[in-house]
Amino acid sequence: MTTPDHYAVFGHPIAHSKSPRIHQMFARQLGDEIIYTAQDVPPDCFVVAVRSFQAGGGKGLNCTVPLKELAFRLADQLSSRAELSGAVNTLMWRETQLFGDNTDGVGLLRDLTTNLGLTLKQRRILILGAGGAVRGILGPILMQQPSQIVIANRTLSRAEELAQRFGHLGRLSTTNFINLAGSQFDLIINATAAGLKGETPPLPEGLVAAGGCCYDLMYGDQPTPFVRWGEAQGAKLSTDGLGMLVEQAAEAYLLWRGTRPETKEIITQLRHSK
Ligand code: NAP
């Protein structure tokens, strides 16, 4: 009898992670048998934890907050999208080489365009935040050729760093939250961690254009503070990042096992079983 392939998600903290459940749902759907565990790994234990997972026969890893930049530095080989973002959320071994990819951007795009039916081309997009998640999503969003992308962050210098890093792919401007007053956007993406404290960034009124949408990367059992903000501002659609979570996981599964699970049904099941 063969032992099932072993995968894991490393993060700190990790107890809240839905990844083990999502990957087991994928495996069931595809008739695969896998082991997928969640492991709390503080940053200073990351390298040892990866090596010991490999020594135990582990096949692939997901990395979440705050390990994505460490994973980027540890990888021997990188996909072009990981290279561009400077962050890795998926690792696997190719022979003896550790390969790093970033599936966050493609996961978000699939949720926005395929699942929610939104178009990004020629749209005005506001991105709130300038952390690790924004590094992963900026490249794929820019490639959709929106008419405008503004990055607004509490610490302006971090937004400016990103504008420099990604500026060769399209026009990006930066601002702090207050100076957004008077602007309007077709899509506002919240990639700040403010929701973890039950807050939204301090945003002026009137940012959502007529027919505009709001998308929060954060997700939870209840509507997030930003999802509620979007609803109160009259957004046509205001939704959380559960779909992105499932889509980025499906891309990791594809990378590891060569088959992409069907995601729509799984997103629906997760929404109904909160
Ligand atoms: P991060 O690297 O720690 O960055 C956090 C960002 O949030 C920074 O821009 C920070 O601003 C800002 N911020 C923190 N507290 C704030 C507050 N009270 N008010 C305004 N801004 C605040 O985190 P990350 O990895 O980018 O993750 C951001 C969010 O995306 C998290 O909620 C994470 O769970 C979510 N995420 C979801 C998915 C998914 O699949 N759905 C994937 C990746 C990430 P400063 O620069 O000023 O500190």
Side-chain angles (χ1 to χ4, degrees), residues 198-265:
E199 298 167 4
T200 51
L203 299 170
E205 296 285 309
L207 288 182
V208 184
C213 298
C214 292
Y215 190 100
D216 195 352
L217 261 55
M218 202 180 113
Y219 49 85
D221 291 344
Q222 302 297 322
T224 65
F226 181 75
V227 167
R228 287 200 302 271
W229 178 87
E231 287 165 353
Q233 295 292 314
K236 183 177 81 176
L237 170 82
S238 189
T239 189
D240 71 14
L242 180 69
M244 171 181 173
L245 181 76
V246 173
E247 296 294 347
Q248 62 78 31
E251 287 294 316
Y253 200 97
L254 169 65
L255 186 75
W256 293 332
R257 302 187 62 82
T259 317
R260 194 180 198 284
E262 288 293 326
T263 48
K264 256 198 168 146
E265 183 60 27

Side-chain angles (χ1 to χ4, degrees), residues 65 68 104 129-134 153-155 158 177 191-194 196-197 199 201 217-219 241 244-245 248:
V65 182
K68 292 182 188 178
D104 280 341
V134 178
N153 197 42
R154 186 175 59 179
T155 311
R158 292 188 79 196
F177 299 126
T192 73
L196 297 175
K197 291 188 194 143
E199 298 167 4
L217 261 55
M218 202 180 113
Y219 49 85
M244 171 181 173
L245 181 76
Q248 62 78 31

Side-chain angles (χ1 to χ4, degrees), residues 44-94:
D44 55 351
C45 302
F46 179 66
V47 176
V48 172
V50 173
R51 297 296 178 222
S52 91
F53 184 75
Q54 179 190 18
K59 299 283 184 206
L61 285 170
N62 288 132
C63 299
T64 185
V65 182
L67 306 172
K68 292 182 188 178
E69 286 170 35
L70 289 175
F72 172 81
R73 291 208 287 274
L74 188 64
D76 304 309
Q77 300 170 346
L78 292 164
S79 67
S80 51
R81 57 197 184 188
E83 184 114 48
L84 179 67
S85 66
V88 157
N89 76 338
T90 306
L91 288 166
M92 69 180 291
W93 283 271
R94 286 183 169 168

